[in-house]
Amino acid sequence: LSAGVMSAQDLAAATEVYNSGATALAAGNKADAVKFFSEALKLANGAEGAEEIISTCQGTIPKLLVSIAKELIEKGQYDEAVVSLEKAIKTSNEYKEGESAKEAGELIPQVYMQKANDLFKNKNYAEAAKSYQKILDIVPAENPLYGSAALNLGQSLSSIGKVDEAVKAFTIAAETGDKETASKKISTIFLKKAQTALKGNKFNEAIEFAEKSNSYVENANAYKIAALAYQKNNTKKATIENFEK
């Protein structure tokens, strides 16, 4: 009898809190609605006759978390949006709701991409690189975002002088995304290295970098630098060949 009375009290309490959640949701306060529904779910578990409350809360909470995340994305609050999406995945899997976990999982890399692009536009290349790298860490290579993120990562790293890391990123981009653009970027990096080496009278390095530049995209400047470096090394045949090219 005592157990029955307690179960009835739990059901009444769960119903009251659930109704508060429904009121908050109707008023557009999704964050409070999630809190109320989560509390109602705790109270309803084990209470006799609370199956409908449990089912409704479990089906609603993950969807609300995804909806909250979308609103945060529109406001540019990307980190907070990711937190909400991660909670959506956790609750969706826990409640066996499924649909929200899939949607949230697809949204997270898009959030990182949007965040990274905003940072890049504001010339915050170091932070942009971190977000682009996160995309590479969480999506498979066949995902369309992978190649784009790798290309943008290379441009971010190149902008802050991390040219060796940039070449690695561009190489990934060439393999999984825009090969033509990535190859041009790598070619330009080695061209600049060749120019620097030539100015520093490091003729062998200038030749090496110029040839690497041409191996990605042939260009007149790289051949000219190689020719000048060969000329300084008194290698006449190679000098003539590179000037002709």
Side-chain angles (χ1 to χ4, degrees), residues 3-36:
V5 171
M6 290 180 64
S7 179
Q9 289 174 339
D10 288 342
L11 177 59
T15 302
E16 183 178 354
V17 176
Y18 172 83
N19 289 337
S20 296
T23 301
L25 182 58
N29 195 336
K30 296 176 184 178
D32 279 352
V34 169
K35 292 177 183 177
F36 283 126

Side-chain angles (χ1 to χ4, degrees), residues 101-180:
K102 183 177 183 295
E103 184 178 6
E106 292 172 350
L107 275 173
I108 287 175
Q110 295 178 32
V111 174
Y112 281 128
M113 179 65 88
Q114 194 165 329
K115 176 186 177 182
N117 289 342
D118 284 356
L119 290 166
F120 190 89
K121 288 176 185 176
N122 291 322
K123 298 183 179 181
N124 191 343
Y125 302 119
E127 290 302 314
K130 291 179 182 178
S131 287
Y132 288 130
Q133 182 60 57
K134 283 182 180 178
I135 297 169
L136 299 185
D137 292 339
I138 63 176
V139 301
E142 58 270 18
N143 189 305
L145 284 177
Y146 194 93
S148 298
L151 184 64
N152 294 340
L153 173 61
Q155 294 185 101
S156 300
L157 292 169
S158 180
S159 298
I160 56 177
K162 294 186 176 182
V163 291
D164 292 335
E165 293 179 35
V167 168
K168 291 179 182 178
F170 284 135
T171 301
I172 293 172
E175 294 170 349
T176 59
D178 188 342
K179 183 176 181 179
E180 183 178 354

Side-chain angles (χ1 to χ4, degrees), residues 4-134:
V5 171
M6 290 180 64
S7 179
Q9 289 174 339
D10 288 342
L11 177 59
T15 302
E16 183 178 354
V17 176
Y18 172 83
N19 289 337
S20 296
T23 301
L25 182 58
N29 195 336
K30 296 176 184 178
D32 279 352
V34 169
K35 292 177 183 177
F36 283 126
F37 288 145
S38 297
E39 183 61 27
L41 187 59
K42 290 179 183 177
L43 293 169
N45 279 323
E48 188 176 345
E51 291 80 7
E52 185 177 348
I53 290 176
I54 293 171
S55 176
T56 304
C57 288
Q58 289 181 339
T60 304
I61 291 171
K63 290 183 174 68
L64 281 176
L65 289 168
V66 171
S67 181
I68 290 169
K70 290 178 179 178
E71 292 177 356
L72 291 168
I73 293 168
E74 290 179 2
K75 296 175 183 176
Q77 295 175 252
Y78 303 118
D79 293 335
E80 294 86 345
V82 170
V83 170
S84 188
L85 290 170
E86 287 174 342
K87 287 180 180 178
I89 293 172
K90 182 180 178 182
T91 55
S92 180
N93 290 330
E94 183 181 344
Y95 304 152
K96 296 180 173 58
E97 183 261 349
E99 182 182 336
S100 297
K102 183 177 183 295
E103 184 178 6
E106 292 172 350
L107 275 173
I108 287 175
Q110 295 178 32
V111 174
Y112 281 128
M113 179 65 88
Q114 194 165 329
K115 176 186 177 182
N117 289 342
D118 284 356
L119 290 166
F120 190 89
K121 288 176 185 176
N122 291 322
K123 298 183 179 181
N124 191 343
Y125 302 119
E127 290 302 314
K130 291 179 182 178
S131 287
Y132 288 130
Q133 182 60 57
K134 283 182 180 178

